[in-house]
Amino acid sequence: MIDQSTVDESTELWLGEIEKKLDYKWWYAGHYHTSRVRDKVQIMFEDIEEFLHRKLDYQ
């Protein structure tokens, strides 16, 4: 088991600061070998989700 007190969390802290500036309804992630929902984040391991595609006008 890894001693969590020795793990560098600088990337997580940096990404947390970026997240505070974002406005989103739902965040999907698939890196972790688990499936769970926490706050507005859905971590998908063996799940399949159909996403509706729409063209966004960025002008």
Side-chain angles (χ1 to χ4, degrees):
M1 181 105 36
I2 295 174
D3 179 2
Q4 293 297 312
S5 68
T6 64
V7 175
D8 179 8
E9 296 180 351
S10 59
T11 301
E12 287 82 355
L13 295 172
W14 175 69
L15 290 171
E17 291 301 314
I18 292 173
E19 181 184 15
K20 291 176 189 176
K21 299 174 184 177
L22 298 176
D23 180 28
Y24 61 94
K25 292 181 182 179
W26 206 247
W27 187 282
Y28 295 92
H31 171 75
Y32 303 98
H33 293 176
T34 186
S35 294
R36 67 175 58 155
V37 175
R38 180 177 171 202
D39 300 324
K40 297 190 300 184
V41 178
Q42 180 174 350
I43 300 173
M44 303 169 70
F45 176 51
E46 294 178 327
D47 304 328
I48 296 174
E49 184 77 28
E50 181 178 348
F51 297 97
L52 300 176
H53 177 74
R54 65 178 180 171
K55 184 177 179 180
L56 300 176
D57 184 7
Y58 292 104
Q59 296 179 0

